[in-house]
Amino acid sequence: MGRPRLSGGSCQSALGPAHRLPPALAPVQPRDNLCPLSLRDDLCAVAKMALSRLGCGRGGLHGGLLGVGPVTVPASWPRRVLRAPEPVPAWRALRHPACCLSTKTNPKAILAAVVSQFKYANGKYESFLERTFPRFYVLYSTFLKGCRTLFSEAKEIRRIKLNMSLKKIDFHQLPYREMERLRQFRRDLIKAIPIGLLALPPFANYLIFLLMYLFPRQLLIRHFWTPKQQFEFLNIYHGMRREVYPEIIDGLEQVTRFIADQQLRDQMQELCTKVQSGSHPEVAKLLAVRSLFVGHPLGLQRLRVWQVKALSRVLFLTPHLPIFVLRYRLRSHMLELQHLDQAMLKLGVSELSEEEVKMACYVRGLNSTHLSSSECQKWLKQWAKLSCELKASWRGAGLCPASKSEIDISPPPCLCPECYCGFS
């Protein structure tokens, strides 16, 4: 369609030849592709009505506004003037206000808006999972919580390491909570590294996820256990540790027969009998036999291979290593426990939370899942007191080992940790 010319009288003839319009304002000559006459008249009427509504009136069509001749209007122009406004798309109305801002908007505000929208959508998704798949939601929420806890703990470990390097302090000089956090993070890292290496090959991560779902106790660290799993797994681990205690007690009885000192031999046999019956030995009686655990016959370097492996199983250390590696790991672990005991006494057992008290008891051999917080505090105070008195007595009596290879393993794990509740 061409552009029809609206004619309401010829201004060119009215002005005469002397008043010819400039070429730019001259009326457009009709062409072959313009509208037919009947259609032109209809469009003229429609345009007049549209212009009258816009305030132009008849004079606008005849050039009254400009004082020029007829105005040529495209055929599609009246339809554009009279058509209804387009509706606003629904997705524009639902957009966040920050999305409609100009390019000068602060990027932080846009990022905050995106994060808020993501949190809102994630909350909706979690509520849907909780209503529809409650069992899966427990695993999902545990996984997310574990990831957040692990990330925050990694940041805390980085801060502790940086602080140690800046202040040039060693592990045993740290406060109790930082020392315990660093110790536990190391153990978790040792457990998680093999899983990460197995997941490196292509498509192996899907198999790892399946194995982690089927064997969470063996493959997952404590951050990804549900509360029910944590209670169940701690009991299982303690059952594995409890199976070793009779073996250690029997080994102590065998060694006791070869003790030359009659008094020490009788005291050691009495302690073994008392522990086997489920009674709690007194701290004074444990201190009386402390000299047996330095050098001969119960020093770390004097123990037999099966005894070293049994002690490693009690402390959750793998026994499937060469004997010199087992002795080294056992010695390092016991030194670590001694440093923790000193830091805990410096802080005060009463300052620890209920979770910290129960975990400290469990690390030292007591099954704290079935005990109250007050019972755990009472036992932990006795343990810490015994540990510090043993170290002080060795220094005062000159019983300290001459080298680290003769370091003691006291308090004896076979006597102290489980004696509060026997072998039950």
Side-chain angles (χ1 to χ4, degrees):
M1 297 290 293
R3 294 182 298 175
R5 184 178 60 185
L6 301 179
S7 60
S10 178
C11 293
Q12 183 74 17
S13 59
L15 294 175
H19 300 279
R20 293 183 181 274
L21 294 175
L25 298 178
V28 179
Q29 299 298 327
R31 284 182 281 178
D32 296 337
N33 59 348
L34 296 181
C35 297
L37 184 59
S38 59
L39 180 59
R40 186 190 311 168
D41 295 339
D42 295 339
L43 292 176
C44 181
V46 173
K48 286 180 180 180
M49 181 173 60
L51 291 176
S52 64
R53 291 185 179 182
L54 295 175
C56 298
R58 183 181 301 272
L61 293 174
H62 289 214
L65 293 177
L66 300 175
V68 296
V71 179
T72 302
V73 180
S76 60
W77 181 75
R79 290 195 299 272
R80 291 200 301 268
V81 173
L82 297 178
R83 66 182 178 183
E86 296 181 358
V88 180
W91 61 270
R92 267 188 203 173
L94 295 178
R95 286 192 304 175
H96 196 275
C99 299
C100 304
L101 300 177
S102 65
T103 56
K104 296 182 180 180
T105 306
N106 190 358
K108 293 184 179 180
I110 298 178
L111 181 60
V114 172
V115 171
S116 64
Q117 289 294 320
F118 175 77
K119 289 182 178 180
Y120 176 77
N122 187 55
K124 288 288 186 180
Y125 176 67
E126 290 183 356
S127 60
F128 168 75
L129 287 181
E130 188 175 8
R131 292 192 310 267
T132 312
F133 308 102
R135 295 181 62 182
F136 177 76
Y137 173 74
V138 173
L139 299 177
Y140 174 78
S141 59
T142 304
F143 178 77
L144 290 183
K145 182 180 178 182
C147 290
R148 288 192 292 264
T149 306
L150 185 61
F151 180 72
S152 61
E153 189 165 332
K155 292 174 60 177
E156 184 66 18
I157 294 299
R158 182 177 178 273
R159 185 193 65 81
I160 294 174
K161 286 287 190 180
L162 183 62
N163 188 31
M164 291 175 62
S165 66
L166 291 178
K167 295 183 178 180
K168 297 181 180 180
I169 58 178
D170 297 328
F171 172 79
H172 65 275
Q173 297 175 324
L174 292 173
Y176 172 77
R177 287 190 173 92
E178 295 184 356
M179 197 184 302
E180 173 63 25
R181 188 169 295 167
L182 190 59
R183 185 198 69 85
Q184 188 61 46
F185 185 79
R186 288 174 180 172
R187 295 179 69 90
D188 293 338
L189 195 62
I190 293 174
K191 187 176 182 180
I193 284 177
I195 305 301
L197 294 178
L198 291 176
L200 288 179
F203 305 105
N205 53 343
Y206 298 104
L207 178 61
I208 293 298
F209 289 150
L210 178 61
L211 294 176
M212 290 167 66
Y213 178 76
L214 295 177
F215 306 100
R217 179 174 64 87
Q218 292 83 357
L219 301 179
L220 292 179
I221 59 178
R222 55 191 173 89
H223 300 295
F224 300 98
W225 293 347
T226 63
K228 182 180 178 181
Q229 287 176 337
Q230 186 171 5
F231 180 81
E232 178 184 353
F233 295 162
L234 289 179
N235 284 327
I236 291 176
Y237 280 127
H238 182 73
M240 297 166 57
R241 178 170 56 185
R242 188 174 56 189
E243 294 175 355
V244 190
Y245 287 131
E247 183 180 351
I248 296 178
I249 295 295
D250 294 340
L252 282 177
E253 287 183 335
Q254 294 177 8
V255 174
T256 302
R257 299 171 186 173
F258 302 99
I259 297 177
D261 193 333
Q262 180 67 31
Q263 183 179 0
L264 288 177
R265 183 169 64 248
D266 294 340
Q267 290 175 345
M268 195 65 187
Q269 289 178 349
E270 180 184 356
L271 283 175
C272 292
T273 304
K274 200 168 187 177
V275 171
Q276 286 175 339
S277 63
S279 302
H280 180 55
E282 299 175 0
V283 175
K285 293 185 177 181
L286 290 173
L287 290 172
V289 296
R290 64 185 179 272
S291 60
L292 298 177
F293 294 91
V294 179
H296 182 78
L298 296 175
L300 185 57
Q301 295 296 327
R302 307 287 181 172
L303 295 179
R304 299 178 182 177
V305 176
W306 68 267
Q307 290 175 321
V308 175
K309 290 186 176 182
L311 288 175
S312 299
R313 291 168 59 190
V314 167
L315 299 174
F316 300 123
L317 302 174
T318 177
H320 308 293
L321 292 173
I323 184 61
F324 67 92
V325 178
L326 292 179
R327 294 184 192 275
Y328 173 78
R329 296 191 68 190
L330 196 59
R331 180 172 61 249
S332 301
H333 192 81
M334 296 309 300
L335 278 174
E336 200 171 56
L337 282 181
Q338 285 185 351
H339 295 323
L340 284 170
D341 292 339
Q342 295 176 4
M344 182 173 54
L345 281 179
K346 185 177 180 180
L347 176 65
V349 178
S350 57
E351 297 295 327
L352 302 178
S353 63
E354 181 179 355
E355 182 180 358
E356 291 174 338
V357 169
K358 290 193 172 185
M359 184 53 63
C361 291
Y362 192 87
V363 168
R364 288 156 180 81
L366 178 66
N367 187 12
S368 56
T369 57
H370 302 281
L371 299 177
S372 63
S373 178
S374 59
E375 291 174 331
C376 291
Q377 281 190 359
K378 179 181 177 182
W379 186 90
L380 192 59
K381 287 178 180 178
Q382 293 180 357
W383 170 281
K385 180 181 178 182
L386 174 62
S387 177
C388 291
E389 286 186 2
L390 283 172
K391 191 171 184 179
S393 62
W394 289 325
R395 289 177 178 175
L399 295 175
C400 290
S403 62
K404 290 185 179 181
S405 61
E406 293 293 328
I407 193 169
D408 66 288
I409 56 171
S410 304
C414 54
L415 298 179
C416 295
E418 191 62 17
C419 58
Y420 188 86
C421 51
F423 295 103
S424 58

Short mmCIF file of all heavy atoms in Angstrom, two decimals, residues 247-248 250-259 295-313 319 321-324 326-328 330 409:
data_model
loop_
_atom_site.label_atom_id
_atom_site.label_comp_id
_atom_site.label_asym_id
_atom_site.label_seq_id
_atom_site.Cartn_x
_atom_site.Cartn_y
_atom_site.Cartn_z
N GLU A 247 40.86 -57.91 75.81
CA GLU A 247 42.17 -58.33 75.30
C GLU A 247 43.29 -57.56 75.97
O GLU A 247 44.35 -58.13 76.31
CB GLU A 247 42.19 -58.14 73.78
CG GLU A 247 43.47 -58.60 73.12
CD GLU A 247 43.44 -58.37 71.62
OE1 GLU A 247 42.36 -58.02 71.09
OE2 GLU A 247 44.50 -58.54 70.98
N ILE A 248 43.10 -56.27 76.19
CA ILE A 248 44.14 -55.45 76.84
C ILE A 248 44.28 -55.83 78.31
O ILE A 248 45.41 -55.91 78.84
CB ILE A 248 43.80 -53.96 76.68
CG1 ILE A 248 43.82 -53.56 75.20
CG2 ILE A 248 44.78 -53.09 77.46
CD1 ILE A 248 43.45 -52.13 74.95
N ASP A 250 43.63 -58.74 79.67
CA ASP A 250 44.32 -60.03 79.73
C ASP A 250 45.82 -59.87 79.49
O ASP A 250 46.65 -60.55 80.14
CB ASP A 250 43.74 -60.98 78.68
CG ASP A 250 42.29 -61.35 78.97
OD1 ASP A 250 41.87 -61.20 80.14
OD2 ASP A 250 41.57 -61.76 78.04
N GLY A 251 46.19 -58.97 78.57
CA GLY A 251 47.61 -58.72 78.34
C GLY A 251 48.28 -58.11 79.55
O GLY A 251 49.44 -58.44 79.87
N LEU A 252 47.58 -57.22 80.26
CA LEU A 252 48.15 -56.64 81.47
C LEU A 252 48.34 -57.69 82.55
O LEU A 252 49.35 -57.68 83.28
CB LEU A 252 47.23 -55.52 81.99
CG LEU A 252 47.31 -54.18 81.27
CD1 LEU A 252 46.28 -53.21 81.85
CD2 LEU A 252 48.70 -53.59 81.38
N GLU A 253 47.40 -58.60 82.68
CA GLU A 253 47.55 -59.66 83.68
C GLU A 253 48.74 -60.56 83.37
O GLU A 253 49.46 -61.00 84.28
CB GLU A 253 46.26 -60.49 83.74
CG GLU A 253 45.10 -59.78 84.42
CD GLU A 253 43.87 -60.65 84.52
OE1 GLU A 253 43.73 -61.58 83.70
OE2 GLU A 253 43.06 -60.42 85.43
N GLN A 254 48.95 -60.83 82.09
CA GLN A 254 50.10 -61.66 81.73
C GLN A 254 51.41 -60.97 82.05
O GLN A 254 52.36 -61.60 82.55
CB GLN A 254 50.03 -62.00 80.24
CG GLN A 254 48.86 -62.89 79.85
CD GLN A 254 48.80 -63.13 78.35
OE1 GLN A 254 49.72 -62.77 77.61
NE2 GLN A 254 47.71 -63.76 77.90
N VAL A 255 51.48 -59.65 81.77
CA VAL A 255 52.71 -58.92 82.05
C VAL A 255 52.92 -58.76 83.55
O VAL A 255 54.07 -58.75 84.04
CB VAL A 255 52.66 -57.55 81.35
CG1 VAL A 255 53.87 -56.69 81.73
CG2 VAL A 255 52.59 -57.71 79.85
N THR A 256 51.84 -58.67 84.31
CA THR A 256 51.95 -58.46 85.75
C THR A 256 52.65 -59.61 86.45
O THR A 256 53.32 -59.42 87.48
CB THR A 256 50.53 -58.25 86.34
OG1 THR A 256 49.92 -57.15 85.69
CG2 THR A 256 50.59 -57.96 87.83
N ARG A 257 52.53 -60.80 85.92
CA ARG A 257 53.16 -61.96 86.56
C ARG A 257 54.67 -61.86 86.57
O ARG A 257 55.33 -62.51 87.40
CB ARG A 257 52.75 -63.23 85.82
CG ARG A 257 51.24 -63.49 85.82
CD ARG A 257 50.89 -64.63 84.90
NE ARG A 257 49.44 -64.79 84.78
CZ ARG A 257 48.85 -65.64 83.93
NH1 ARG A 257 49.61 -66.38 83.12
NH2 ARG A 257 47.55 -65.74 83.89
N PHE A 258 55.25 -61.08 85.68
CA PHE A 258 56.72 -60.99 85.58
C PHE A 258 57.26 -59.74 86.27
O PHE A 258 58.44 -59.41 86.10
CB PHE A 258 57.14 -60.99 84.11
CG PHE A 258 56.67 -62.20 83.35
CD1 PHE A 258 55.54 -62.14 82.56
CD2 PHE A 258 57.37 -63.39 83.47
CE1 PHE A 258 55.11 -63.25 81.85
CE2 PHE A 258 56.95 -64.51 82.77
CZ PHE A 258 55.80 -64.45 81.96
N ILE A 259 56.44 -59.02 87.01
CA ILE A 259 56.90 -57.84 87.75
C ILE A 259 57.64 -58.31 88.99
O ILE A 259 57.14 -59.13 89.78
CB ILE A 259 55.72 -56.94 88.13
CG1 ILE A 259 55.04 -56.41 86.85
CG2 ILE A 259 56.18 -55.77 88.98
CD1 ILE A 259 53.82 -55.56 87.12
N GLY A 295 59.21 -47.10 80.70
CA GLY A 295 60.26 -48.10 80.54
C GLY A 295 59.69 -49.51 80.64
O GLY A 295 58.64 -49.83 80.09
N HIS A 296 60.37 -50.37 81.38
CA HIS A 296 59.96 -51.77 81.52
C HIS A 296 58.91 -51.88 82.63
O HIS A 296 59.05 -51.23 83.69
CB HIS A 296 61.18 -52.63 81.85
CG HIS A 296 60.90 -54.09 81.97
ND1 HIS A 296 60.74 -54.91 80.88
CD2 HIS A 296 60.73 -54.87 83.09
CE1 HIS A 296 60.49 -56.14 81.29
NE2 HIS A 296 60.49 -56.15 82.63
N PRO A 297 57.82 -52.67 82.47
CA PRO A 297 57.53 -53.55 81.33
C PRO A 297 56.46 -53.02 80.39
O PRO A 297 56.18 -53.63 79.37
CB PRO A 297 57.01 -54.81 82.05
CG PRO A 297 56.27 -54.27 83.23
CD PRO A 297 56.99 -53.01 83.65
N LEU A 298 55.85 -51.85 80.73
CA LEU A 298 54.71 -51.37 79.96
C LEU A 298 54.98 -50.08 79.21
O LEU A 298 54.04 -49.39 78.80
CB LEU A 298 53.48 -51.17 80.88
CG LEU A 298 52.94 -52.45 81.54
CD1 LEU A 298 51.82 -52.12 82.52
CD2 LEU A 298 52.44 -53.41 80.49
N GLY A 299 56.24 -49.71 79.05
CA GLY A 299 56.55 -48.56 78.20
C GLY A 299 56.20 -48.84 76.75
O GLY A 299 56.08 -50.00 76.32
N LEU A 300 56.02 -47.80 75.99
CA LEU A 300 55.54 -47.97 74.62
C LEU A 300 56.49 -48.80 73.77
O LEU A 300 56.06 -49.64 72.96
CB LEU A 300 55.33 -46.58 73.98
CG LEU A 300 54.72 -46.56 72.58
CD1 LEU A 300 53.38 -47.27 72.57
CD2 LEU A 300 54.58 -45.14 72.08
N GLN A 301 57.79 -48.62 73.96
CA GLN A 301 58.75 -49.39 73.19
C GLN A 301 58.91 -50.82 73.70
O GLN A 301 59.50 -51.66 73.02
CB GLN A 301 60.12 -48.69 73.22
CG GLN A 301 60.12 -47.34 72.53
CD GLN A 301 59.86 -47.46 71.04
OE1 GLN A 301 60.24 -48.44 70.40
NE2 GLN A 301 59.19 -46.47 70.48
N ARG A 302 58.36 -51.11 74.89
CA ARG A 302 58.44 -52.45 75.45
C ARG A 302 57.23 -53.32 75.13
O ARG A 302 57.25 -54.52 75.39
CB ARG A 302 58.59 -52.37 76.97
CG ARG A 302 59.72 -51.47 77.43
CD ARG A 302 61.07 -52.09 77.20
NE ARG A 302 62.15 -51.24 77.68
CZ ARG A 302 63.42 -51.61 77.74
NH1 ARG A 302 63.77 -52.82 77.33
NH2 ARG A 302 64.35 -50.79 78.17
N LEU A 303 56.21 -52.71 74.60
CA LEU A 303 54.98 -53.45 74.32
C LEU A 303 55.18 -54.37 73.12
O LEU A 303 55.96 -54.09 72.22
CB LEU A 303 53.83 -52.49 74.05
CG LEU A 303 53.39 -51.60 75.21
CD1 LEU A 303 52.27 -50.69 74.76
CD2 LEU A 303 52.95 -52.44 76.41
N ARG A 304 54.45 -55.47 73.13
CA ARG A 304 54.48 -56.40 72.01
C ARG A 304 53.65 -55.85 70.86
O ARG A 304 52.87 -54.90 71.01
CB ARG A 304 53.97 -57.76 72.44
CG ARG A 304 54.80 -58.39 73.55
CD ARG A 304 54.24 -59.72 73.98
NE ARG A 304 55.01 -60.30 75.07
CZ ARG A 304 54.70 -61.45 75.68
NH1 ARG A 304 53.62 -62.12 75.29
NH2 ARG A 304 55.46 -61.91 76.67
N VAL A 305 53.77 -56.51 69.71
CA VAL A 305 53.08 -56.02 68.52
C VAL A 305 51.57 -56.07 68.68
O VAL A 305 50.86 -55.12 68.37
CB VAL A 305 53.53 -56.83 67.28
CG1 VAL A 305 52.74 -56.40 66.05
CG2 VAL A 305 55.02 -56.66 67.04
N TRP A 306 51.05 -57.18 69.23
CA TRP A 306 49.60 -57.30 69.39
C TRP A 306 49.06 -56.29 70.39
O TRP A 306 47.92 -55.83 70.27
CB TRP A 306 49.24 -58.74 69.79
CG TRP A 306 49.70 -59.15 71.16
CD1 TRP A 306 50.86 -59.77 71.49
CD2 TRP A 306 48.98 -58.96 72.39
NE1 TRP A 306 50.95 -59.98 72.83
CE2 TRP A 306 49.79 -59.50 73.41
CE3 TRP A 306 47.77 -58.40 72.73
CZ2 TRP A 306 49.43 -59.49 74.75
CZ3 TRP A 306 47.38 -58.39 74.05
CH2 TRP A 306 48.20 -58.93 75.06
N GLN A 307 49.88 -55.91 71.38
CA GLN A 307 49.43 -54.90 72.35
C GLN A 307 49.37 -53.51 71.70
O GLN A 307 48.43 -52.74 71.96
CB GLN A 307 50.38 -54.88 73.54
CG GLN A 307 50.28 -56.12 74.42
CD GLN A 307 51.31 -56.13 75.53
OE1 GLN A 307 52.47 -55.71 75.33
NE2 GLN A 307 50.92 -56.61 76.70
N VAL A 308 50.34 -53.21 70.85
CA VAL A 308 50.33 -51.92 70.16
C VAL A 308 49.13 -51.84 69.22
O VAL A 308 48.45 -50.80 69.13
CB VAL A 308 51.65 -51.72 69.40
CG1 VAL A 308 51.60 -50.44 68.57
CG2 VAL A 308 52.82 -51.66 70.37
N LYS A 309 48.83 -52.93 68.53
CA LYS A 309 47.68 -52.93 67.63
C LYS A 309 46.37 -52.81 68.40
O LYS A 309 45.43 -52.13 67.96
CB LYS A 309 47.69 -54.20 66.80
CG LYS A 309 48.81 -54.26 65.76
CD LYS A 309 48.68 -55.47 64.87
CE LYS A 309 49.76 -55.45 63.79
NZ LYS A 309 49.63 -56.61 62.85
N ALA A 310 46.30 -53.44 69.57
CA ALA A 310 45.08 -53.33 70.38
C ALA A 310 44.87 -51.90 70.87
O ALA A 310 43.75 -51.37 70.84
CB ALA A 310 45.16 -54.30 71.55
N LEU A 311 45.94 -51.26 71.32
CA LEU A 311 45.82 -49.86 71.76
C LEU A 311 45.46 -48.94 70.60
O LEU A 311 44.73 -47.96 70.78
CB LEU A 311 47.14 -49.42 72.39
CG LEU A 311 47.46 -50.01 73.78
CD1 LEU A 311 48.84 -49.59 74.22
CD2 LEU A 311 46.41 -49.60 74.80
N SER A 312 45.96 -49.25 69.41
CA SER A 312 45.61 -48.44 68.23
C SER A 312 44.12 -48.56 67.93
O SER A 312 43.47 -47.57 67.57
CB SER A 312 46.44 -48.88 67.03
OG SER A 312 47.83 -48.71 67.27
N ARG A 313 43.57 -49.74 68.06
CA ARG A 313 42.13 -49.92 67.83
C ARG A 313 41.30 -49.18 68.87
O ARG A 313 40.22 -48.66 68.57
CB ARG A 313 41.80 -51.41 67.83
CG ARG A 313 42.37 -52.16 66.64
CD ARG A 313 42.26 -53.66 66.82
NE ARG A 313 40.86 -54.07 67.00
CZ ARG A 313 40.51 -55.30 67.38
NH1 ARG A 313 41.44 -56.22 67.63
NH2 ARG A 313 39.23 -55.59 67.51
N PRO A 319 45.19 -50.43 62.66
CA PRO A 319 46.28 -51.31 63.09
C PRO A 319 47.02 -51.96 61.94
O PRO A 319 48.00 -52.69 62.18
CB PRO A 319 45.55 -52.37 63.92
CG PRO A 319 44.20 -52.46 63.29
CD PRO A 319 43.87 -51.08 62.78
N LEU A 321 49.33 -51.30 59.78
CA LEU A 321 50.51 -50.54 59.38
C LEU A 321 51.73 -51.18 60.00
O LEU A 321 51.61 -51.97 60.97
CB LEU A 321 50.40 -49.07 59.80
CG LEU A 321 49.32 -48.21 59.10
CD1 LEU A 321 49.24 -46.85 59.75
CD2 LEU A 321 49.63 -48.07 57.61
N PRO A 322 52.93 -50.86 59.51
CA PRO A 322 54.14 -51.39 60.16
C PRO A 322 54.22 -50.97 61.63
O PRO A 322 53.67 -49.93 62.04
CB PRO A 322 55.28 -50.77 59.33
CG PRO A 322 54.67 -50.48 58.00
CD PRO A 322 53.24 -50.13 58.27
N ILE A 323 54.92 -51.76 62.41
CA ILE A 323 54.92 -51.55 63.85
C ILE A 323 55.55 -50.22 64.24
O ILE A 323 55.10 -49.54 65.17
CB ILE A 323 55.65 -52.73 64.55
CG1 ILE A 323 55.59 -52.59 66.06
CG2 ILE A 323 57.08 -52.85 64.05
CD1 ILE A 323 54.19 -52.60 66.61
N PHE A 324 56.59 -49.78 63.52
CA PHE A 324 57.21 -48.51 63.88
C PHE A 324 56.27 -47.33 63.59
O PHE A 324 56.29 -46.32 64.30
CB PHE A 324 58.56 -48.34 63.16
CG PHE A 324 58.47 -48.20 61.67
CD1 PHE A 324 58.38 -46.94 61.09
CD2 PHE A 324 58.46 -49.32 60.83
CE1 PHE A 324 58.31 -46.80 59.71
CE2 PHE A 324 58.38 -49.19 59.47
CZ PHE A 324 58.30 -47.94 58.90
N LEU A 326 52.97 -47.61 63.78
CA LEU A 326 51.95 -47.69 64.83
C LEU A 326 52.46 -47.07 66.13
O LEU A 326 51.71 -46.36 66.81
CB LEU A 326 51.57 -49.15 65.06
CG LEU A 326 50.81 -49.85 63.93
CD1 LEU A 326 50.52 -51.29 64.29
CD2 LEU A 326 49.51 -49.12 63.63
N ARG A 327 53.70 -47.33 66.47
CA ARG A 327 54.25 -46.73 67.70
C ARG A 327 54.32 -45.21 67.58
O ARG A 327 54.01 -44.49 68.55
CB ARG A 327 55.65 -47.30 67.98
CG ARG A 327 55.66 -48.77 68.32
CD ARG A 327 57.09 -49.22 68.66
NE ARG A 327 57.20 -50.67 68.73
CZ ARG A 327 56.91 -51.41 69.80
NH1 ARG A 327 56.50 -50.81 70.91
NH2 ARG A 327 57.05 -52.73 69.77
N TYR A 328 54.73 -44.74 66.43
CA TYR A 328 54.82 -43.28 66.23
C TYR A 328 53.43 -42.63 66.33
O TYR A 328 53.27 -41.60 67.00
CB TYR A 328 55.45 -42.98 64.88
CG TYR A 328 55.44 -41.51 64.51
CD1 TYR A 328 56.35 -40.64 65.07
CD2 TYR A 328 54.49 -41.02 63.62
CE1 TYR A 328 56.34 -39.29 64.75
CE2 TYR A 328 54.47 -39.67 63.29
CZ TYR A 328 55.38 -38.82 63.86
OH TYR A 328 55.36 -37.49 63.55
N LEU A 330 50.75 -43.81 67.81
CA LEU A 330 50.24 -43.94 69.17
C LEU A 330 50.87 -42.93 70.10
O LEU A 330 50.20 -42.30 70.93
CB LEU A 330 50.52 -45.37 69.66
CG LEU A 330 49.75 -45.85 70.88
CD1 LEU A 330 48.26 -45.81 70.64
CD2 LEU A 330 50.19 -47.26 71.26
N ILE A 409 52.15 -44.20 78.14
CA ILE A 409 50.83 -44.23 77.52
C ILE A 409 49.77 -44.03 78.58
O ILE A 409 48.64 -44.46 78.44
CB ILE A 409 50.60 -45.56 76.78
CG1 ILE A 409 50.78 -46.74 77.73
CG2 ILE A 409 51.52 -45.70 75.60
CD1 ILE A 409 50.37 -48.07 77.13
#
